[in-house]
Amino acid sequence: MKVYNTLTRRKEEFVPLEENKVKMYVCGPTVYGLIHIGNARPYVIFDTIRRYMEYKGYEVTYVQNFTDVDDKIIKRANEEGVSTEVITDRYIKEALKDAEGLNVEPATYHPLATKEMPYIIEMIQTLIDKGYAYEKNGSVYYDTSTFKGYGKLSGKKLEDLIAGASNRVETDPDKKSPADFVLWKPKKEGEPYWKSPWSDGRPGWHIECSVMAKRYLGDTIDIHAGGEDLIFPHHENEIAQSEAANGKPFARYWLHNGFINVDNEKMSKSKGNFFTLRDIVADIPYDVVRFFILNGHYRSPINFSRDLMEAAGNGLLRIKNCVKSIKFHIENSEGDVMTANEAELMEKAASFKTEFEKAMDDDFNTADAIACIFDYVKFANSNLKESSTKAFGQALLDGINELCNILGILTEDAKEDTDTSEIERLIEERTAAKKAKDYQKADEIRAKLLDMGVVIEDTRQGVRWSYKK
Ligand code: AMP
Ligand code: ZN
């Protein structure tokens, strides 16, 4: 399995630290509002990578934090006249709801920065003791000049950063160098705070992730991931903190997803050009959003538009309709043993899985992996006949389901669309009308179903239905 490592800027063979185990940390959202569709991308991408690794037999420990102490959270709490916990509780719940909707498996651990304060203070103290950090007027800063590898992830040079920052108005006179960053800062009036040896205050953002990764995964982890906007300064600073404090390499593979853009600009809350996931799922189902995200390679930028979402919806429908008709076949046919010809066909079908794995082994090329599923669907549609055995239907279904489950795009019946009981009731009513030779009524019901987006087909095995394309 090859993964593109931002740290080395090339695709590398994935070798875990411990055989069959993967320790993975994914930076989570800052919880001051509903997540937008750009934030949904790392959720879906890294969940898919996790699923694929699990499919390959790795035991994955997956940590995704919530940043629950931040200026934006405090601002929101002040605007609403409530405490910051009211805001963070609310948006953590909402983020978890969205994650569930997107069929993202819960993380092994979902730590919160505010619950890790003693460990955060401990790591900052270690950095001071080892000479990597300094205190000034109640604040603690990381001294970037002390860490040899500073800039290795982002490719930035410390001199350039200092020169660049010096051209701007420096707002913090307590820093020794403009490239230094804050580990701890004193509270301002009305802000939440924690006691520390330096001041009543709160931690900087970067130190939180270094601490949570260490606490839940250890000093050295296999994969650290997030959106590409996090490469600098967040991940660069995490490396400086963790490697200085722990004296060991931090993460072996750094994975970053590309942006979701609107009109070729990054979708972000600060630019105001964002759509919350909730806005979108008011008329586009969550599973279509997931499918849309997986249709592009995770490192490429993707454009968001309703048309592209609709196209993704049609693609997903093709898979769903195929699965539905295979299930119909299984329910209405016989034959627990495949014929020799069917067994031969299934041998051919094995190549879809091989190709799928090849695509995923090549830095998780989900777009090509989806193309393999479409090939499988085409194969099933053209080879499943009314005369086929039940066993053949089941083998096709298992094959398609297995690949869909790795991408999390189709799960068992529980996830199948909405309630279909009304459709089934109408079909029964139509069958009864036909039996009673009331063909007018039967045609009316067919037309009504068509209005609902449902196409029916009379087969020798009974009535088969699917969603209109
Ligand atoms: P934030 O809450 O802004 O820290 O973002 C949470 C996660 O979403 C991070 O991994 C970001 O890199 C990622 N992210 C934010 N905006 C986008 C976007 N437009 N496209 C892709 N990923 C994004
Ligand atoms: Zn982080």
Side-chain angles (χ1 to χ4, degrees):
M1 183 164 47
K2 288 225 164 19
V3 302
Y4 181 86
N5 188 352
T6 309
L7 188 62
T8 56
R9 291 163 191 81
R10 56 188 171 83
K11 277 188 204 169
E12 289 173 25
E13 188 60 32
F14 178 75
V15 184
L17 284 160
E18 241 183 280
E19 210 180 327
N20 297 326
K21 295 210 163 121
V22 177
K23 296 178 195 157
M24 183 164 178
Y25 186 94
V26 183
C27 291
T30 308
V31 277
Y32 65 102
L34 291 170
I35 66 165
H36 61 67
I37 161 112
N39 303 136
R41 194 172 190 193
Y43 268 90
V44 168
I45 293 300
F46 299 117
D47 174 67
T48 304
I49 291 177
R50 170 199 192 167
R51 283 168 183 264
Y52 186 62
M53 294 207 159
E54 284 172 345
Y55 163 78
K56 289 276 222 173
Y58 291 108
E59 189 190 306
V60 182
T61 311
Y62 191 95
V63 180
Q64 183 165 43
N65 70 298
F66 287 111
T67 299
D68 64 342
V69 49
D70 178 84
D71 287 341
K72 289 173 281 216
I73 297 171
I74 297 169
K75 184 165 172 267
R76 178 91 193 221
N78 289 339
E79 280 163 9
E80 289 194 24
V82 295
S83 68
T84 49
E85 291 91 78
V86 170
I87 300 295
T88 55
D89 276 1
R90 184 199 302 156
Y91 291 113
I92 287 170
K93 283 204 187 91
E94 299 296 355
L96 290 172
K97 244 190 255 169
D98 279 330
E100 191 187 346
L102 289 168
N103 200 21
V104 168
E105 287 178 6
T108 321
Y109 301 101
H110 273 296
L112 304 182
T114 56
K115 301 280 188 291
E116 306 289 336
M117 278 313 154
Y119 308 100
I120 291 175
I121 291 168
E122 190 182 310
M123 191 181 275
I124 296 175
Q125 189 61 57
T126 305
L127 288 169
I128 297 175
D129 294 346
K130 287 187 156 186
Y132 290 101
Y134 57 94
E135 188 263 350
K136 187 85 192 277
N137 294 330
S139 288
V140 182
Y141 300 96
Y142 191 98
D143 184 345
T144 44
S145 69
T146 59
F147 185 69
K148 269 215 266 66
Y150 196 76
K152 65 181 170 185
L153 181 70
S154 59
K156 293 186 191 293
K157 291 203 175 74
L158 197 53
E159 311 89 83
D160 297 345
L161 288 170
I162 294 168
S166 313
N167 295 334
R168 281 183 261 125
V169 186
E170 182 51 54
T171 49
D172 192 345
D174 290 342
K175 281 186 190 179
K176 283 193 203 164
S177 155
D180 293 353
F181 59 91
V182 81
L183 298 172
W184 187 267
K185 57 185 163 196
K187 67 170 184 187
K188 293 198 198 98
E189 198 45 46
E191 287 185 354
Y193 66 91
W194 288 263
K195 292 214 157 302
S196 82
W198 319 289
S199 61
D200 288 350
R202 61 189 162 97
W205 171 36
H206 317 303
I207 192 76
E208 299 168 10
C209 283
S210 280
V211 169
M212 290 186 265
K214 179 183 171 77
R215 281 259 296 141
Y216 295 91
L217 297 169
D219 289 349
T220 306
I221 68 176
D222 293 294
I223 297 176
H224 196 123
E228 69 180 23
D229 53 334
L230 300 187
I231 297 173
F232 188 85
H234 186 52
H235 288 164
E236 193 70 66
N237 292 351
E238 277 190 50
I239 293 177
Q241 296 162 158
S242 295
E243 300 197 348
N246 304 329
K248 291 190 192 134
F250 182 29
R252 298 180 21 127
Y253 303 92
W254 287 85
L255 272 57
H256 294 100
N257 66 269
F259 293 142
I260 292 191
N261 294 331
V262 184
D263 301 327
N264 296 315
E265 250 202 283
K266 181 197 168 198
M267 185 186 290
S268 74
K269 285 191 185 153
S270 52
K271 290 198 186 106
N273 63 346
F274 69 97
F275 299 91
T276 66
L277 188 51
R278 279 316 150 77
D279 283 343
I280 304 292
V281 299
D283 44 34
I284 296 169
Y286 274 112
D287 59 355
V288 173
V289 177
R290 183 173 180 116
F291 194 67
F292 164 78
I293 290 172
L294 293 174
N295 265 292
H297 188 273
Y298 78 93
R299 286 192 287 117
S300 309
I302 48 176
N303 260 315
F304 168 81
S305 79
R306 293 215 171 234
D307 285 353
L308 291 170
M309 280 277 177
E310 230 165 75
N314 287 335
L316 187 59
L317 202 55
R318 237 158 79 204
I319 303 173
K320 281 188 179 176
N321 278 339
C322 172
V323 165
K324 186 179 268 307
S325 77
I326 301 175
K327 282 186 179 163
F328 177 85
H329 178 87
I330 294 169
E331 273 165 33
N332 296 284
S333 60
E334 314 258 307
D336 292 334
V337 182
M338 278 191 263
T339 64
N341 182 36
E342 288 171 346
E344 212 173 285
L345 283 168
M346 281 320 294
E347 265 169 42
K348 273 195 201 145
S351 70
F352 301 122
K353 183 165 153 171
T354 316
E355 290 301 310
F356 178 97
E357 287 185 13
K358 224 193 255 171
M360 292 298 281
D361 280 342
D362 182 16
D363 194 29
F364 314 105
N365 193 334
T366 53
D368 284 358
I370 287 173
C372 296
I373 296 180
F374 281 136
D375 288 343
Y376 210 146
V377 161
K378 211 159 127 198
F379 177 86
N381 286 339
S382 56
N383 287 298
L384 190 68
K385 308 266 161 33
E386 275 181 22
S387 57
S388 303
T389 62
K390 193 195 211 50
F392 183 54
Q394 191 63 52
L396 288 170
L397 183 65
D398 291 348
I400 292 175
N401 266 343
E402 185 180 29
L403 303 188
C404 287
N405 282 339
I406 297 170
L407 300 184
I409 51 174
L410 266 196
T411 39
E412 295 314 307
D413 294 338
K415 287 266 157 58
E416 199 184 87
D417 283 326
T418 37
D419 190 4
T420 56
S421 56
E422 176 63 6
I423 297 170
E424 270 136 30
R425 192 189 63 73
L426 285 167
I427 290 174
E428 267 171 39
E429 212 180 294
R430 176 175 168 272
T431 308
K434 267 178 66 181
K435 236 189 198 151
K437 300 207 164 20
D438 186 349
Y439 296 113
Q440 193 185 338
K441 186 170 178 196
D443 285 347
E444 277 165 17
I445 296 173
R446 180 195 279 272
K448 183 167 180 192
L449 283 163
L450 201 56
D451 276 349
M452 291 163 66
V454 173
V455 189
I456 53 174
E457 195 188 333
D458 292 307
T459 74
R460 263 187 289 155
Q461 293 162 312
V463 181
R464 183 160 66 187
W465 68 271
S466 58
Y467 291 109
K468 194 165 62 179
K469 290 198 187 91

